Structure formats: C-alpha cells, structure tokens
Amino acid sequence: MVELSPIHQEATPASFVLGRKLDSIPFSAYHVSIIAVLALVGFIEGYDLVMTGSLLVLAKGPLQLTGSDIRWLAVGPTFMLCIGGFAASAVSDHWSRKTIMMIGVIATTFFTLLIPLVQTAEQLIVVRLLTGLGAGSAVSAAFPIAAELMPAQHRRTYGAIYEMALAASFTVVPFIAGLLAGNEYAFRYLALPGGLSVTVVPVLIYFVLAFAQGTAAGRGRHRQPDRCAIRKPRAVAQVAGARRLS
C-alpha cells in the first residue's frame, strides 16, 4: 500500500505580504521630489559632520594641532549638534520646519566653506563648533517634514533612502581623504564639496518643499467640501429627528 505524503506548502509571512503591498503603492511626483531633496540634505549633512575624523589627520601637521585642539575637534561638534537639535526642536512649533532646515543647511555648508580659509587651530575649532550647531537644525527637521508631507506607506521607503544617503556620505569622505592624503592642502580641498553645496541645496529645499506643501494643501482643500457634504445631511437628519421627538 502506497502512502500518500501530504503536500507541504510554505506559509508566506504576513510581514512579507504587507511589505509587498506597501511597496506596490505608486509614488506621486512630489513624493519622489521630497525624498530626493531630503536624501540630498542627509548626504550633505553627513559629509560635513563625518569630516571631523579626516580633519584631525589631514590638518594636524599644517595647523600644528595640539592634544587640546584634537579633543575640542573630536568632541565639540557633536556636543554642539545636540544643542542645535534641542534648540531647533524647541522653536519648530513657532517657525516653519522648512525655515529651520534651510537655516541649518545654510549654516552647515557656509561654515564648511570657510575651512579652506582657516590659518590656525583656534579658527578651525570655532568653524567646526558653528558647523555642528547648524547641523542640529537640519538633522532634526528632516523626519518631521517627511511625516507631514508623505503618507504613512511611503515613510518606510524614505527612511531607507535617507539612511543610504547617510551611509554613502560616511563612505565618500574617507575615500576622498585617502586620495588627498600627503597633500599640504588636503583638508582644505576636502571641505570644498560640502561647502560649495551652499549654492544649490538651500534653493532646492525652498522651491521643492514649497511646491510639496502647496500640493498637500490643495489636496486638503479639495477634500474639505466632501466632508462637509457628508456631515450636512447627517446634521439635518439629527435636527429633524429631534423635532419629531419633541
């Protein structure tokens, strides 16, 4: 007698099915533009912040960095980043988050652009401290802006792309530093890509996020009459029912 073996079917995990459905939801043009601009902001901010380790190596000889200078450069920008993040979060309810991000990006890229002009270790420390302070405003505003302008099903994709942009910046800086090692002006050249973006990134933030906010507001205005049209018959029916009871 031949035994029939049951057919084993592998159960598909619910998380896989949910993720596939979320990934199949199409993106609109302004969703893609928001993700692209915020990912660019993440790349630039990551580039300007992670540059500290390379600056310690490349600028130690030309600027004659001492032990105290190295400690300030290693710890100071991160500490100022925390202060800038708390300050930006405190005023974000009173100011526009787009304004907060623009201030942070302009400050970070502008002070990074000043690195090629520094002549002493003290000047480099001051520039890096101010860079960290500005970066706190830009970093803390990215995710709230994405949460306001994108539906929930697209935020996972945005988070993954934003993290990839940060990881790319963390990889590009050591690579460029390795190519420039041995040059007396290596730390000055290293700051140019992040500093020169001050002419491009704030403009993209201003126009792209303004367009996205206008589109989101327009959709909200189009939905408003539908809600009123639904609520009005209900209210009329409730009033009529109350009159019958009286």
Side-chain angles (χ1 to χ4, degrees):
M1 184 174 181
V2 181
E3 295 183 359
L4 298 176
S5 60
I7 299 175
H8 298 283
Q9 296 180 353
E10 297 182 358
T12 303
S15 59
F16 176 79
V17 176
L18 178 61
R20 186 169 57 183
K21 289 183 178 180
L22 292 178
D23 293 337
S24 64
I25 298 175
F27 284 86
S28 63
Y30 87 102
H31 287 153
V32 176
S33 64
I34 292 170
I35 293 176
V37 170
L38 294 181
L40 179 61
V41 171
F43 179 84
I44 296 300
E45 296 299 313
Y47 186 97
D48 292 341
L49 291 175
V50 81
M51 194 166 48
T52 300
S54 300
L55 286 177
L56 293 177
V57 177
L58 299 178
K60 183 176 181 180
L63 298 182
Q64 302 297 321
L65 299 179
T66 63
S68 178
D69 298 334
I70 293 175
R71 282 192 294 270
W72 272 103
L73 287 173
V75 179
T78 305
F79 181 73
M80 296 302 291
L81 172 68
C82 298
I83 295 178
F86 281 118
S89 300
V91 301
S92 60
D93 292 334
H94 305 282
W95 296 357
S96 169
R97 286 191 173 90
K98 184 185 73 173
T99 303
I100 296 294
M101 173 173 283
M102 287 187 61
I103 293 174
V105 171
I106 292 173
T108 305
T109 52
F110 174 74
F111 289 120
T112 301
L113 190 60
L114 294 181
I115 291 179
L117 304 179
V118 300
Q119 302 297 327
T120 63
E122 290 76 13
Q123 293 177 355
L124 181 60
I125 292 173
V126 171
V127 167
R128 292 302 293 170
L129 291 178
L130 294 176
T131 301
L133 185 64
S137 301
V139 172
S140 62
F143 280 95
I145 289 176
E148 290 177 357
L149 300 180
M150 284 193 298
Q153 62 266 23
H154 294 332
R155 295 172 194 165
R156 184 181 68 168
T157 303
Y158 159 72
I161 294 176
Y162 189 83
E163 292 175 359
M164 290 174 61
L166 288 176
S169 66
F170 297 162
T171 306
V172 168
V173 172
F175 177 76
I176 297 178
L179 295 178
L180 297 175
N183 192 321
E184 182 182 359
Y185 302 102
F187 76 96
R188 306 181 192 276
Y189 295 145
L190 182 64
L192 288 178
L196 292 176
S197 61
V198 69
T199 61
V200 177
V201 180
V203 178
L204 292 176
I205 294 174
Y206 180 81
F207 286 104
V208 172
L209 294 188
F211 169 76
Q213 290 174 343
T215 304
R219 292 186 175 186
R221 285 194 297 268
H222 287 306
R223 292 171 183 171
Q224 189 74 20
D226 297 337
R227 295 177 181 176
C228 294
I230 293 173
R231 292 174 183 173
K232 188 175 180 179
R234 292 180 180 176
V236 172
Q238 291 175 356
V239 172
R243 288 179 179 177
R244 293 193 195 98
L245 292 175
S246 60

